[in-house]
Amino acid sequence: MSRGSKLPRRRRSVIVVAGEGDYDRKVLQHLLPALHPGECPEVRMLKKPIRLARAHATLNPRLQDIKKHAAGIADTAELAGIVIHADLDGVADDSYDTLRRRLREEMNGVFKGTPSALALAAYEIEAWLMLFPKAFTALHPGWTLRETDCRRDLAKLEKAKEHLMKQLGKPAYRLSDAPLIMKKAVEGGHVSHKPPGNNRSFLDFAKDIAAWHEAA
């Protein structure tokens, strides 16, 4: 390379997060950089609510819609990945496996050539937050998860939101706390692909992201 020549500027890249609600998408916006196998691209959110878990005949059109909007959000940047969140509203059992496999197969077909990941949270994304008990105390010193909750299979915990509202005390848990808890978990270095707690749906999502290493 001749003196004074410049290296070509690397093209900006983005990951687009789609899903059911703003707070859930913001949780993933904090979580993704901690799980991404390389330097994490900018994480942008598709603000239009997208619901997949109960979609059947309309699943492919919804995924096509996500793909179109994701490309629009990326604009001139490289679309480095698409992440979709859905609350299972059920525990991780055989029906979870069937649903996750069906959604992943459809996503792989529609998003072919673009890495993707499915955050199918059992029961709800609050059960993922409970994998990081120290993050709750970091946000509010009076919040402490019970030892029995830390040891349990969180993918089998029904109505995790309501459970936190009952167990944490004051201030009462609110949906808007979810992104702040995940932010504290990441800042505290508690997030990994295999956290100490147990939630199969989180591990499945982490495996999806780990598989992006070839494209990182």
Side-chain angles (χ1 to χ4, degrees), residues 85-145:
H85 163 264
D87 279 335
L88 180 65
D89 292 333
V91 299
D93 53 16
D94 290 344
S95 62
Y96 161 82
D97 294 326
T98 300
L99 176 60
R100 193 176 206 285
R101 184 166 52 250
R102 179 174 68 89
L103 292 175
R104 284 302 294 148
E105 287 173 354
E106 290 281 353
M107 288 170 64
N108 289 339
V110 173
F111 303 147
K112 188 175 182 180
T114 300
S116 63
L118 174 62
L120 182 61
Y123 187 92
E124 297 158 324
I125 209 162
E126 276 74 11
W128 287 18
L129 300 177
M130 292 173 69
L131 292 168
F132 315 108
K134 292 181 179 179
F136 286 82
T137 307
L139 183 61
H140 291 297
W143 281 1
T144 304
L145 294 188

Side-chain angles (χ1 to χ4, degrees), residues 3-210:
R3 182 180 299 178
S5 61
K6 296 181 180 179
L7 291 172
R9 180 178 296 178
R10 187 176 180 181
R11 187 183 178 194
R12 187 172 65 91
S13 58
V14 300
I15 295 171
V16 173
V17 176
E20 299 177 357
D22 284 343
Y23 296 131
D24 296 321
R25 292 191 293 269
K26 288 177 181 176
V27 167
L28 294 174
Q29 193 173 34
H30 291 301
L31 176 61
L32 278 165
L35 296 180
H36 194 273
E39 181 181 349
C40 188
E42 178 186 357
V43 181
R44 302 282 301 278
M45 293 190 292
L46 196 166
K47 295 183 179 180
K48 177 183 178 182
I50 299 290
R51 292 175 173 82
L52 293 185
R54 293 179 177 83
H56 293 281
T58 59
L59 178 55
N60 187 279
R62 292 187 192 189
L63 292 176
Q64 294 287 355
D65 195 40
I66 291 173
K67 181 179 180 181
K68 180 185 72 175
H69 282 89
I73 291 171
D75 192 17
T76 59
E78 174 190 1
L79 182 58
I82 298 175
V83 174
I84 300 178
H85 163 264
D87 279 335
L88 180 65
D89 292 333
V91 299
D93 53 16
D94 290 344
S95 62
Y96 161 82
D97 294 326
T98 300
L99 176 60
R100 193 176 206 285
R101 184 166 52 250
R102 179 174 68 89
L103 292 175
R104 284 302 294 148
E105 287 173 354
E106 290 281 353
M107 288 170 64
N108 289 339
V110 173
F111 303 147
K112 188 175 182 180
T114 300
S116 63
L118 174 62
L120 182 61
Y123 187 92
E124 297 158 324
I125 209 162
E126 276 74 11
W128 287 18
L129 300 177
M130 292 173 69
L131 292 168
F132 315 108
K134 292 181 179 179
F136 286 82
T137 307
L139 183 61
H140 291 297
W143 281 1
T144 304
L145 294 188
R146 300 183 307 180
E147 284 295 322
T148 51
D149 284 336
C150 295
R151 293 195 301 268
R152 73 191 301 169
D153 181 353
L154 293 166
K156 301 289 188 180
L157 173 62
E158 295 186 359
K159 298 184 178 179
K161 263 190 207 72
E162 289 85 347
H163 182 82
L164 288 179
M165 290 174 180
K166 291 178 181 178
Q167 297 299 327
L168 289 178
K170 295 182 179 180
Y173 173 79
R174 300 175 302 175
L175 302 185
S176 58
D177 290 319
L180 302 176
I181 293 168
M182 184 55 74
K183 185 172 185 286
K184 290 292 185 183
V186 172
E187 290 175 346
H190 307 308
V191 178
S192 71
H193 287 80
K194 295 182 179 179
N198 181 15
N199 188 314
R200 181 153 58 102
S201 66
F202 176 89
L203 295 178
D204 285 340
F205 174 69
K207 286 178 185 176
D208 278 0
I209 298 297

